[in-house]
């Protein structure tokens, strides 16, 4: 069954929620096996990434270079586990590959590598740049007259980078309405709370001030994500930024809102506990 | 050799010719279209020209994004900003994924002139040369620059082409054939090899003439591709002469002088003299005054050659 085939919204939401649980389960498992990686920001983005890959975006895993596909750019590249889980679940490569994350000779590098991993549109990891590359992609696709759309996920800590705002102005200037940014607003970075380090508030006012359409949602409510993506598609003449309020470490009790789980793998015991918690939430998609 | 033209002039001209030939060429600029001469492309192909404003980092990363959609992107700006301000974008987002972006900044070296040290580069070759897989080209004159910019479109992946602001004497003409990765022996000699790049090639040729009159037979090699280095041509010259003067409008640290020293230390150790900027910043002045001040004239090359051959 594919999400596109589901007509009724309730069933679609349930389908996507189950997929998101699958992605979260895989994130914990792969980071645990790798003994390093970034679980917190992967978990906070899981519902957004799920909705993009399993409903919103047109893409063909069996034909990854299909020119008319929509593009996804993980600008906050450290959240690679959530992207890898989505790519495996979509069929870009076998799920077993996930268990090789960060190992020597694995195609799953610590940060996304477009030359190694099928389905990765651009290499990221250095914060801020992915967002600019997404603007470049949107421009290139429009030049070719394609109706493909570009989706890019940025972090709130990442939003402290100047290049984000350089790119924001360019995208608005060129009315790139085939571009959608999604801000994973979990209010956490490495050293602590974004609001206590260098606050990005009032971010819901900043994006419109930079010429973007802005939509604020709860980034864990699939229904709200679906509606926001629909709205973004209807906006003409400007790019859209979806400010998604999220919780870092979402769905694992001892990781939620814990700064340290930004870039720390769970122990074997913690992995078992986390997987059990996720399974208890409902079936895995 | 009366004609004088800046290598940057070749940029706009080559881009226009490329634009007609290749519909997938896109030119990005960072608010310097007149200086870099990309304005010529803008006039001809406004729909494929994007001025990114004063935002070089965004320009470089966007070029990478455009390249993923099948475009060949030429990016401008001054050398200090393209290689300095946007270094990490060039490193991580263009070079690491081997994307088809050509980095052709102008105003490299000290011959920028009166703008002074903030706008001159003595380190751009070094910065680009250390990036894995980056091709580094320093054209000797307008004609070589034009050919290099055009040939770069056929090279898969990132290419850095270093262009200058000042009008300098031309050496070649329209019939010149540039081959990436190939150093070219411009003059045969027996006693010393002058390996020169960029505007120092002209100075090297003049020096070889002067040395000839003083009884020293100098060979001159134009090393316009600094990476990958044409080891074969350089070694065959050096094996014959046994002495080397390297000349470049760049710091003696990290540029052609370093590249040649690295090669020769491993494969054929011989005395090497490096004519270049001696670990200093530039300063304001007219190009000719600056070349004299920093020891980058044909006479400086000759002096280095005389010292080497005196042993
Ligand atoms: C240019 C750059 N500087 C620093 C880092 C190191 N780093 C990795 S993640 C991170 C914090 C990112 O915070 P945020 O964007 O909020 O991501 P999230 O909390 O959603 O995971 C930092 C500083 C980096 N990857 N790139």
């Amino acid at each position: 069954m594919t999400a596109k085939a589901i007509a009724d919204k309730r069933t679609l939401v349930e389908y996507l929620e189950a997929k998101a649980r699958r992605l979260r389960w895989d994130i914990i498992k792969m980071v645990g096996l790798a003994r390093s990686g970034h679980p917190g920001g992967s978990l906070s983005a899981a519902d957004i990434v799920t909705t993009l890959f399993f409903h919103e975006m047109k893409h063909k895993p069996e034909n990854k270079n299909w020119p008319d596909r929509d593009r996804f750019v993980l600008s906050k590249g450290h959240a690679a586990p959530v992207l890898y889980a989505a790519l495996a679940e979509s069929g870009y490569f076998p799920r077993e590959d996930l268990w090789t994350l960060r190992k020597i000779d694995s195609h799953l590098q610590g940060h996304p590598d477009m030359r190694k991993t099928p389905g990765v549109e651009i290499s990221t990891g250095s914060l801020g740049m992915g967002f600019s590359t997404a603007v470049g992609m949107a421009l290139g696709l429009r030049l070719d007259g394609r109706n493909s759309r570009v989706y890019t996920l940025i972090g709130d800590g990442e939003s402290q980078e100047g290049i984000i705002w350089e790119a924001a102005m360019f995208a608005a200037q060129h009315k790139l309405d085939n571009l959608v940014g999604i801000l994973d607003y979990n209010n956490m970075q490495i050293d602590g709370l974004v609001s206590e380090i260098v606050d990005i508030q009032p971010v819901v006012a900043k994006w419109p001030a930079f010429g973007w359409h802005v939509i604020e949602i709860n980034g864990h409510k699939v229904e709200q994500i679906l509606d926001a993506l629909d709205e973004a598609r209807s906006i003409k003449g400007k790019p859209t930024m979806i400010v998604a309020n999220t919780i870092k470490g979402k769905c694992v009790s001892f990781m939620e809102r814990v700064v340290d789980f930004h870039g720390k793998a769970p122990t074997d015991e913690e992995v078992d506990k986390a997987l059990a918690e996720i399974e208890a939430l409902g079936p895995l998609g | 050799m009366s004609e004088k033209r800046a290598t940057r002039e070749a940029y706009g001209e080559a881009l226009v010719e490329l634009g007609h030939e290749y519909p997938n060429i896109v030119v990005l600029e960072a608010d310097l279209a007149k200086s870099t001469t990309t304005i010529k492309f803008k006039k001809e192909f406004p729909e494929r020209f994007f001025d990114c404003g004063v935002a070089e980092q965004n320009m470089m990363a966007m070029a990478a994004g455009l390249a993923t959609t099948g475009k060949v992107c030429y990016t401008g700006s001054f050398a200090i900003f393209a290689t300095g301000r946007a270094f990490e974008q060039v490193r991580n987002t263009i070079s690491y994924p081997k994307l088809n972006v050509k980095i052709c900044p102008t105003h490299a070296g000290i011959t920028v002139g009166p703008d002074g040290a903030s706008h001159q580069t003595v380190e751009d070759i070094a910065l680009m040369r250390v990036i894995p897989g980056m091709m580094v080209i320093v054209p000797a004159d307008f004609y070589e620059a034009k050919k290099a910019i055009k040939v770069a479109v056929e090279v898969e992946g990132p290419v850095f082409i270093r262009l200058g602001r000042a009008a300098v004497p031309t050496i070649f003409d329209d019939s010149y054939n540039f081959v990436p990765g190939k150093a070219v022996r411009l003059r045969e000699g027996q006693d010393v090899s002058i390996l020169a790049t960029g505007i120092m090639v002209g100075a090297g040729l003049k020096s070889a003439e002067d040395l000839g009159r003083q009884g020293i037979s100098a060979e001159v090699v134009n090393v316009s591709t600094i990476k990958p280095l044409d080891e074969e041509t350089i070694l065959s010259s050096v094996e014959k002469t046994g002495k080397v003067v390297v000349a470049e409008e760049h710091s003696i640290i990290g540029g052609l002088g370093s590249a040649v020293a690295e090669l020769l230390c491993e494969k054929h150790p011989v005395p090497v003299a490096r004519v270049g900027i001696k670990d200093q910043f530039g300063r304001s002045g007219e190009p000719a005054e600056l070349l004299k001040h920093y020891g980058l004239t044909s006479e400086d090359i000759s002096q280095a050659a005389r010292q080497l051959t005196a042993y």
Side-chain angles (χ1 to χ4, degrees), chain B residues 12 17 27 35 58 63 67 69 85 95 102 113 118 157 159-160 169 173 222 274:
Chain B
E17 289 175 22
V27 175
S35 300
N58 181 49
T69 68
R85 172 68 60 98
S95 307
K102 314 305 165 191
S118 64
V159 178
F160 172 72
D173 57 31
N222 172 20
R274 291 172 298 162

Side-chain angles (χ1 to χ4, degrees), chain A residues 38 40-42 44-45 76-79 111 125-129 154-161 183-192 194 246 248 262, chain B residues 88 92:
Chain A
H38 297 82
S42 296
S44 68
K76 42 170 274 186
H78 57 278
H111 293 81
S126 179
L127 292 169
M129 297 188 201
I154 63 172
D156 43 17
E158 181 179 18
S159 301
Q160 293 158 347
E161 284 282 359
L183 171 63
D184 185 356
Y185 196 6
N186 53 36
N187 195 32
M188 285 190 173
Q189 53 189 110
I190 295 182
D191 285 348
V194 172
T246 57
K248 206 156 169 174
H262 168 84
Chain B
E88 204 221 330
N92 264 332

Side-chain angles (χ1 to χ4, degrees), chain A residues 76 135 232 260-261 275:
Chain A
K76 42 170 274 186
V135 176
D260 274 357
F261 274 111
L275 295 180

Side-chain angles (χ1 to χ4, degrees), chain A residues 69 71 109 111-116 121-124 126 129-144 161 163 166-168 170 174, chain B residues 26 28 47-59 61-66 68-71 85 88-90 92-93 96-100 156:
Chain A
R69 71 193 184 280
R71 310 313 200 252
Q109 298 290 295
H111 293 81
D113 183 333
M114 68 182 286
R115 298 294 179 204
K116 292 204 165 82
E121 297 287 356
I122 182 104
S123 306
T124 52
S126 179
M129 297 188 201
F131 187 66
S132 285
T133 66
V135 176
M137 285 180 198
L139 188 64
L141 292 166
R142 192 175 68 185
L143 279 173
D144 288 345
E161 284 282 359
I163 191 174
E166 294 179 8
F170 185 96
H174 291 273
Chain B
V26 172
L28 300 185
E47 71 292 347
R48 284 192 272 149
F49 173 89
F50 296 95
D51 200 321
C52 303
V54 195
E56 299 78 12
Q57 303 180 33
N58 181 49
M59 173 177 73
M62 263 190 8
L66 277 158
T68 68
T69 68
K71 307 285 175 248
R85 172 68 60 98
E88 204 221 330
Q89 280 76 10
V90 172
N92 264 332
T93 302
Y96 172 43
K98 298 190 194 68
L99 288 168
N100 226 345
E156 192 64 32

